[in-house]
Amino acid sequence: MIANRSSGLFQEELGHVERAPDRSYSLAALGRRARAAESARLEIVCWATNRGFKSHRLREMGTEFSREAGVLYEAAMNAALEEAKLAIAHNDVPVGAVAVVAGRVVASAHNERERRGDPTAHAEMLVLKSLAERAAGWRMSSVSLIVTLEPCVMCAGAIVAARIERVVFGAQDPKGGACGSVYNVCSDPRLNHEVDVVPGVMEDRCGEILTRFFSEKR
């Protein structure tokens, strides 16, 4: 089963669905591998010196960012980065996303806009669609969505509509980001749902894969 029934509404909705072995796995294993290479830097840089994840921005957005959360987000972002790399094979911009419920990845996807010829086939949209189909429902209030690039207006709107609990993103999108850079759709008090936003997790690595992709296109 994907998650036990005590984990919240969305887990209950997914409780009857068998987990796909290639799309659902514990972050514990990822976390152990990530800690060896990345967590020392996370502890020293982010927490001792108050740099790295731009914690002042996180405080402004009202998100309490703990050490435990940092390790979890980093492990999940590593999984999203692996998804992003898959997009390159079909000439799509390398953006990856994973959905996490109770510490487990329950869905993942990468950008497939070129592959499908579909302007809506962003990584976030594909993850939300997969979750909705498996749960036979649209409310995802126990889900955290981790994505390598700041969601656009379309994706942010879908995230709000799905009642996602939290969005964690890596690289900022200064030309089209809708989680604080250009627009702030996920945290707009005029809407009927607000999403916790955690920006800048592994920002350099998430930005690097995009920079390299576009450089090779020139």
Side-chain angles (χ1 to χ4, degrees):
M1 309 298 272
I2 288 176
N4 62 53
R5 299 182 67 84
S6 65
S7 300
L9 175 61
F10 192 70
Q11 295 92 307
E12 292 178 5
E13 293 172 346
L14 284 178
H16 65 285
V17 182
E18 288 299 322
R19 184 167 71 245
D22 60 335
R23 287 297 189 187
S24 182
Y25 44 88
S26 174
L27 285 178
L30 274 173
R32 284 192 292 271
R33 292 195 296 269
R35 287 188 192 97
E38 298 281 351
S39 291
R41 179 183 60 80
L42 175 71
E43 292 290 330
I44 295 170
V45 175
C46 297
W47 307 116
T49 66
N50 202 32
R51 296 197 298 271
F53 289 161
K54 299 183 179 180
S55 57
H56 61 288
R57 294 185 66 243
L58 300 179
R59 284 197 298 272
E60 289 172 4
M61 290 186 175
T63 301
E64 183 178 352
F65 196 71
S66 68
R67 296 188 182 190
E68 292 76 12
V71 172
L72 174 64
Y73 297 159
E74 191 170 70
M77 191 62 76
N78 273 308
L81 280 166
E82 291 303 310
E83 276 287 338
K85 294 174 185 176
L86 299 177
I88 298 173
H90 40 82
N91 202 35
D92 269 296
V93 176
V95 177
V98 300
V100 175
V101 177
R104 297 183 67 83
V105 171
V106 295
S108 59
H110 55 274
N111 188 16
E112 296 189 31
R113 187 169 58 173
E114 297 293 337
R115 184 183 196 179
R116 299 185 183 212
D118 180 355
T120 71
H122 289 192
E124 303 97 311
M125 300 294 286
L126 297 177
V127 166
L128 295 180
K129 182 177 180 180
S130 174
L131 289 173
E133 289 175 348
R134 292 166 62 189
W138 60 270
R139 289 184 180 272
M140 305 176 190
S141 56
S142 297
V143 173
S144 291
L145 184 66
I146 287 77
V147 58
T148 57
L149 179 66
E150 181 180 359
C152 67
V153 172
M154 173 183 69
C155 294
I159 287 165
V160 170
R163 306 296 193 269
I164 292 290
E165 179 182 17
R166 179 176 297 106
V167 170
V168 179
F169 70 82
Q172 295 178 345
D173 183 355
K175 293 186 177 181
C179 292
S181 291
V182 180
Y183 303 101
N184 203 7
V185 174
C186 286
S187 301
D188 190 331
R190 295 171 296 180
L191 300 178
N192 60 0
H193 177 69
E194 292 186 56
V195 182
D196 286 340
V197 176
V198 180
V201 174
M202 296 177 64
E203 184 173 13
D204 290 344
R205 284 188 57 191
C206 292
E208 180 184 359
I209 190 173
L210 291 164
T211 300
R212 185 165 59 247
F213 175 80
F214 287 114
S215 295
E216 291 174 356
K217 293 294 180 185
R218 296 192 182 100

